Amino acid sequence: MIRLSKLADYGIVMMTNMARHPERQHSAAGIAMESHIPQPMASKILKALVHAGLLISHRGAKGGYGLAREAGRITVADVIKALDGPIALTACIEDGPGECDIEWVCPARANWQRINEAIRQALEGIT
C-alpha cells in the first residue's frame, strides 16, 4: 500500500485551510482547531513548513502564520517534500545511490524511476 505519512497528510489539510483565507494571519491554535489536528502536531508541521519556505511566521500579538507565496504556486509535492523528504515509492530514487542493496543489478530500477517521476509530476501539478 502506498500511503503518505500523517505529517504530510495533515500538512496538506492545514495548507488547504490556510489557502482558503490567504489574507489572514493564522494562529497555530486556530489552524489546529479548523483542521481538527492536535495542536502539538500542528505546531510541529507549521515549523517544518516555515523552515521549507512555504509559510512565513509573524511574531507579536497580531502574529501568526501566512503563506510565503500565493496558494497557486504551492504544490502538494512542495508540502510532501517539506514534511516527508523526497517523493519516491522505492529506495532507488534519483540518479545517485539509494538505500537498496541490489540497485546496481536491479532490472526494474529504470521502471521504478519512471513511476516515481510520474507520481512526482502529478503531485507537482496540484496546488
Side-chain angles (χ1 to χ4, degrees):
M1 175 183 308
I2 302 167
R3 182 179 290 182
L4 290 176
S5 73
K6 220 178 231 189
L7 284 179
D9 186 19
Y10 288 170
I12 292 165
V13 170
M14 291 166 55
M15 291 291 282
T16 302
N17 280 334
M18 293 176 72
R20 289 182 177 152
H21 303 283
E23 73 287 350
R24 285 186 7 207
Q25 292 296 312
H26 303 267
S27 70
I31 294 167
M33 188 173 68
E34 287 175 13
S35 303
H36 304 282
I37 295 170
Q39 188 166 346
M41 175 84 73
S43 293
K44 178 179 180 176
I45 292 168
L46 291 167
K47 287 177 188 170
L49 294 172
V50 167
H51 186 262
L54 301 178
L55 294 178
I56 297 173
S57 174
H58 301 277
R59 295 181 184 214
K62 296 190 179 200
Y65 295 90
L67 300 178
R69 53 186 185 256
E70 66 181 58
R73 293 182 43 226
I74 300 173
T75 68
V76 170
D78 293 331
V79 178
I80 293 170
K81 285 185 230 174
L83 298 169
D84 281 353
I87 297 167
L89 295 178
T90 63
C92 57
I93 58 172
E94 305 298 325
D95 293 325
E99 299 173 3
C100 179
D101 294 333
I102 65 163
E103 93 181 51
W104 62 278
V105 296
C106 180
R109 184 171 188 217
N111 288 329
W112 278 122
Q113 287 179 332
R114 287 178 54 211
I115 293 166
N116 287 336
E117 183 60 25
I119 291 171
R120 190 176 308 116
Q121 287 178 0
L123 294 171
E124 287 171 351
I126 302 168
T127 61

